[in-house]
Amino acid sequence: MRVLITGAGGFVGKNLQLHLVERKDVEVVCFTRADDIGTLPSLVADVDFVFHLAGVNRPQDPAEFVSGNLDLTQALCAVVATIAQRTGKKIPVLYTSSTQAERDNDYGSSKRGAENALLALSREHGVPVHVFRLPNVFGKWCKPNYNSAVATFCHNIARGLPIQVNDPAAQVSLVYVDDVVERFLQLMDGADAALDAKGFASVAPQYTTTVGELAEKIAAFKASRASLMTERVGTGLLRALYSTYLSYLPVELFAYPVPQHGDPRGVFVEMLKTPDAGQFSYFTAHPGITRGGHYHHTKTEKFLVIKGVARFKFRHMQTGETHELTTSGDKAEIVETVPGWTHDITNTGTDEMVVMLWANEVFDRARPDTFACAL
């Protein structure tokens, strides 16, 4: 398949290109601001699908709204219509309009005019047309300090620069660029063109939040490096926002230090804490060193020896029953501590031992649930 992307150098266009490059069955033809509108006939002639992403939203001269949105779209429609008339080939066109098309301003009028041109193309020539009135799209490579609050907040907060929030309660609707591109590719591959209540193509999920909440969430991502407490970034809006925030980090901030506590036994390093799923850390022990020697009432732990040889010893606090096992970095084996059993771990090898540790709760000095008791 051969596809054309207008606006290929823009935010959504760059993300779409990367996804298409991953497809071995797709060849991409690009149209950017540097290209002349007169090249459209030759570019469109051999394509099987058009992603019409080009547009103007913040020009110096309002007249550019018409040339960059309406005139370009009408020219594209004329080319596609001519091909349909001469060859019978009906090249599908996917267009990214905007929710601003509902407004009576220069930008909205130009986008609405472009929509109407495409709908006429579909009606008069049977060309499949997918018109998206997208809300605010966010994700990697969006230009900061331009027209995206998410991009601006991510860029500035990552660099310790100030942000401006005029109305924290102002609502904002968002879609994530990867979700947008996924839907685009589904339509390219022939998926049903499910329409929203207004008859436009749509992307799901869409998120509704406030400008103030956005600023707070992105600031929390930055703060998590110091507190080690991660936000719930595994699903939904927080997942997409966190990925976006990281994409704005300057290269000198790709890495960051965490506290390391050392004593004659070795070192102990906390890596990550979660709001409700415990924390991750690791520790080392020199040959012959024993760590632990305590029990828990409720706290549980998982140990994974990744280097060296370890002997784990357990004793039941009520019955006195004992148990002992040995594991090493040569095999992937989790050892769990069990509530009500005192336990320790000894480096029985000749090299330094390194052990990963997960505890089901973040350590609380006021209520540590850790009671010393030698075996």
Side-chain angles (χ1 to χ4, degrees):
M1 174 180 284
R2 184 178 170 90
V3 304
L4 169 67
I5 305 175
T6 72
F11 160 48
V12 177
K14 291 176 181 176
N15 278 272
L16 176 60
Q17 282 192 71
L18 184 58
H19 282 266
L20 287 172
V21 165
E22 297 160 3
R23 296 272 301 259
K24 304 305 181 184
D25 61 335
V26 177
E27 180 183 354
V28 178
V29 179
C30 294
F31 179 91
T32 70
R33 291 180 184 273
D35 293 307
D36 188 272
I37 196 171
T39 63
L40 281 177
S42 61
L43 293 178
V44 177
D46 296 322
V47 303
D48 304 295
F49 198 98
V50 175
F51 293 99
H52 182 29
L53 314 181
V56 174
N57 56 23
R58 292 186 65 179
Q60 294 183 345
D61 182 353
E64 294 178 43
F65 282 129
V66 174
S67 61
N69 294 328
L70 180 56
D71 292 350
L72 177 61
T73 302
Q74 288 178 331
L76 176 65
C77 288
V79 173
V80 174
T82 298
I83 293 173
Q85 289 174 327
R86 291 179 177 176
T87 69
K89 182 179 180 181
K90 300 175 181 180
I91 304 169
V93 180
L94 183 153
Y95 177 56
T96 51
S97 184
S98 166
T99 54
Q100 297 290 315
E102 299 177 350
R103 299 191 178 184
D104 190 18
N105 53 39
D106 290 339
Y107 176 60
S109 296
S110 67
K111 297 297 278 188
R112 191 165 57 251
E115 292 176 355
N116 290 336
L118 285 160
L119 294 174
L121 172 69
S122 177
R123 184 173 58 251
E124 296 169 10
H125 299 281
V127 171
V129 167
H130 310 284
V131 177
F132 286 81
R133 281 189 172 180
L134 293 173
N136 298 279
V137 186
F138 71 99
K140 63 183 181 296
W141 306 335
C142 186
K143 184 178 180 180
N145 300 302
Y146 187 62
N147 64 354
S148 167
V150 173
T152 300
F153 290 172
C154 287
H155 176 273
N156 287 15
I157 289 173
R159 289 162 175 75
L161 301 175
I163 62 170
Q164 181 175 338
V165 179
N166 296 323
D167 181 5
Q171 286 203 331
V172 58
S173 296
L174 302 168
V175 288
Y176 183 46
V177 68
D178 283 3
D179 295 324
V180 171
V181 171
E182 180 180 9
R183 183 57 182 152
F184 286 2
L185 297 184
Q186 289 171 352
L187 291 171
M188 182 190 75
D189 289 333
D192 291 336
L195 304 179
D196 63 17
K198 295 183 178 181
F200 296 98
S202 61
V203 176
Q206 294 193 17
Y207 305 104
T208 300
T209 185
T210 66
V211 176
E213 288 172 345
L214 275 178
E216 290 176 1
K217 289 171 181 175
I218 295 169
F221 298 151
K222 180 179 177 66
S224 69
R225 286 191 167 188
S227 68
L228 303 185
M229 180 66 72
T230 182
E231 299 298 302
R232 294 178 173 87
V233 295
T235 59
L237 176 59
L238 279 182
R239 172 181 176 270
L241 274 179
Y242 185 59
S243 176
T244 301
Y245 169 74
L246 290 182
S247 75
Y248 286 88
L249 288 177
V251 293
E252 61 268 22
L253 293 180
F254 280 12
Y256 63 100
V258 294
Q260 178 172 297
H261 309 283
D263 60 30
R265 299 173 300 173
V267 299
F268 177 79
V269 178
E270 292 179 303
M271 174 186 173
L272 182 71
K273 301 177 182 180
T274 71
D276 49 20
Q279 68 179 64
F280 296 86
S281 55
Y282 79 88
F283 63 85
T284 67
H286 303 305
I289 291 295
T290 298
R291 283 183 173 272
H294 55 240
Y295 67 89
H296 313 293
H297 287 293
T298 304
K299 180 188 293 186
T300 62
E301 300 162 317
K302 295 179 185 287
F303 292 86
L304 175 63
V305 178
I306 58 176
K307 177 186 176 185
V309 181
R311 182 188 67 209
F312 287 84
K313 294 174 66 176
F314 301 85
R315 179 169 56 83
H316 195 285
M317 293 301 297
Q318 183 182 52
T319 67
E321 179 185 354
T322 61
H323 181 63
E324 184 176 313
L325 63 88
T326 297
T327 188
S328 73
D330 294 333
K331 57 181 177 180
E333 183 176 39
I334 300 291
V335 178
E336 294 207 83
T337 61
V338 180
W341 291 71
T342 188
H343 52 273
D344 65 24
I345 175 174
T346 301
N347 181 354
T348 58
T350 58
D351 297 322
E352 181 182 56
M353 179 177 69
V354 181
V355 182
M356 289 188 63
L357 167 63
W358 170 81
N360 71 312
E361 58 189 44
V362 173
F363 183 74
D364 182 352
R365 293 187 182 278
R367 302 181 62 187
D369 190 12
T370 302
F371 301 92
C373 183
L375 275 76

